[in-house]
Amino acid sequence: MSVTRTPGAEADVLRGQDPELADILLGERRRQSTTLQLIAAENFTSPAVLAALGSPLANKYAEGYPGARHHGGCEIVDVAERLAVDRAKALFGAAHANVQPHSGSSAVLAAYAALLCPGDTVLALGLPYGGHLTHGSPANFSGRWFDFVGYGVDAETGLIDHDQVRTLARTHRPKAIVCGSIAYPRHIDHAFFREVADESGAYLIADAAHPIGLVAGGAAPNPVPYADIVCATTHKVLRGPRGGMILCGEELAERVDRAVFPFTQGGAQMHTIAAKAVAFGEAATWAFATYAHRVVANAKVLAAALAAEGLVVTTGGTDTHLITADPAPLGPDGRTARGLLAAAGLVMDCCALPHGTARGLRLGTAALTTQGMGEEEMTSVAALLAGVLRGEIDSWQARAAARGLAERFPPYPG
């Protein structure tokens, strides 16, 4: 589902006052419209979302919650936040929603603050298998403040090792279990994790930052009925502004709200919250549901095409928008491959590979699908990617091909 109008007024406004920054904005717009965006965590928002982000709501200081702010003059922004909350609750079937977190990491921090005390044990997917920094990295607050135990994936299938999860939960009796990943291409079995959490007396936190947009469109299972708290981002497949949110039941609503404000954050970003409301409204439509299913269909085709070209696709495919693959059979490792592909106009990430020492590629189909690309284009992208890595297509030829494809499917037509 393509968006329909070119948002360029911001550069026009800046050109007379700050031409240096105007050139930067135009340069980024040019980069996005002439290269292929395959980063799994990125997408193109609608012009309506961009309009809300650049609205006068950016001027308003609004610490607190609707009806209980620490600043005057919040009667209008209160309406905007209530609208975002109501739309989020309806979209995901949640009893309570907090739309103030500035990011997915902020949402996870607040979830931990609501449920845990420093030193508590938490069971989460290990970082080498696709866990996020907030799932116990020693460089992150999570690894410094809590005792994380990591579960992994089966060495042969690449799927989460459910037997190991159950054994670790029984052994360590964690205060919370986290299910979710930044590089796991399959659906999470939320019912299984709920069962294990109940057996061990743990809270269940679902980190649904990546699949939440698919959940909104009915293309992925909803964690809300199973998890005590669901943390998510509002960008990625959901196609909203960069930010976070938390979904939970009424019994934890007050604890979650107090963990967000005043414990971990100050004033809410009201322009971003308004943009979240826009995105939630868009995600409730039939058109978005169609889009979400097309994202998954494109990812399945792209994964199969990459495998046919010789890359080793983790878990043998994907259920989501996300693919991880080892490019080593074609020559370069993940880090080298990412650089070669960026120079060729194919922008993606690298990631850890399960049970491996080298890094692989992580790519997604959300942005390309927003541009209107389909299964035929996914096959072309795979062939272009493989040709670059095999050294059959030089960077100039590849960049021209990527630019041609991007210009056929502009992110903002017009």
Side-chain angles (χ1 to χ4, degrees), residues 362-387:
R362 185 186 74 157
L363 55 165
T365 56
L368 298 187
T369 306
T370 294
Q371 290 175 258
M373 297 187 201
E375 297 179 7
E376 180 180 347
E377 288 73 37
M378 297 305 106
T379 303
S380 298
V381 168
L384 183 60
L385 182 154

Side-chain angles (χ1 to χ4, degrees), residues 16 34 80 87 89 129 131 207 235 258 312 319 335 352 372 379 384:
T34 59
R87 288 180 175 179
K89 288 162 57 177
Y129 310 107
D207 188 345
H235 42 289
R258 291 181 64 82
V312 179
D319 297 327
R335 288 191 187 277
T379 303
L384 183 60

Side-chain angles (χ1 to χ4, degrees), residues 23-286:
D23 286 343
I24 292 172
L25 296 186
L26 289 170
E28 175 59 14
R29 189 172 69 179
R30 188 179 306 113
R31 185 197 68 81
Q32 292 182 16
S33 60
T34 59
T35 59
L36 300 179
Q37 312 310 313
L38 287 153
I39 292 179
E42 291 186 357
N43 209 335
F44 296 106
T45 69
S46 71
V49 168
L50 292 178
L53 284 171
S55 70
L57 274 67
N59 300 328
K60 191 70 197 84
Y61 216 144
E63 285 186 329
Y65 291 99
R69 304 286 189 184
H70 291 246
H71 300 274
C74 291
E75 57 272 13
I76 302 300
V77 296
D78 279 1
V79 176
E81 184 164 347
R82 289 190 180 105
L83 181 62
V85 167
D86 289 345
R87 288 180 175 179
K89 288 162 57 177
L91 186 61
F92 298 107
H96 182 73
N98 188 303
V99 296
Q100 291 195 10
H102 300 328
S103 67
S105 293
S106 297
V108 174
L109 170 59
Y112 293 167
L115 302 178
L116 307 174
C117 294
D120 280 346
T121 300
V122 183
L123 183 61
L125 185 64
L127 270 67
Y129 310 107
H132 188 248
L133 289 173
T134 56
H135 300 173
S137 168
N140 183 262
F141 69 85
S142 58
R144 295 189 182 190
W145 293 350
F146 307 105
D147 178 22
F148 270 82
V149 177
Y151 57 87
V153 299
D154 182 86
E156 293 186 7
T157 65
L159 301 176
I160 290 174
D161 188 337
H162 287 176
D163 290 338
Q164 183 191 40
V165 173
R166 194 182 297 274
T167 298
L168 290 173
R170 289 173 174 172
T171 301
H172 295 276
R173 309 295 294 184
K175 185 70 171 292
I177 297 174
V178 180
C179 60
S181 168
I182 61 168
Y184 187 69
R186 298 296 184 173
H187 292 321
I188 300 291
D189 187 345
H190 302 114
F192 164 78
F193 278 96
R194 177 75 268 168
E195 180 182 307
V196 173
D198 289 343
E199 287 177 358
S200 57
Y203 290 109
L204 180 59
I205 300 171
D207 188 345
H210 268 276
I212 199 68
L214 298 177
V215 173
N222 189 353
V224 169
Y226 301 95
D228 295 293
I229 291 179
V230 175
C231 302
T233 56
T234 51
H235 42 289
K236 301 186 175 74
V237 184
L238 191 54
R239 210 159 55 184
R242 298 193 63 81
M245 68 174 169
I246 300 175
L247 306 168
C248 67
E250 287 292 352
E251 67 279 4
L252 292 175
E254 183 176 357
R255 290 167 67 176
V256 164
D257 286 352
R258 291 181 64 82
V260 175
F261 176 85
F263 191 73
T264 62
Q265 289 187 181
Q269 297 179 355
M270 296 313 305
H271 57 305
T272 304
I273 288 174
K276 292 176 185 180
V278 173
F280 298 149
E282 292 174 345
T285 64
W286 174 86

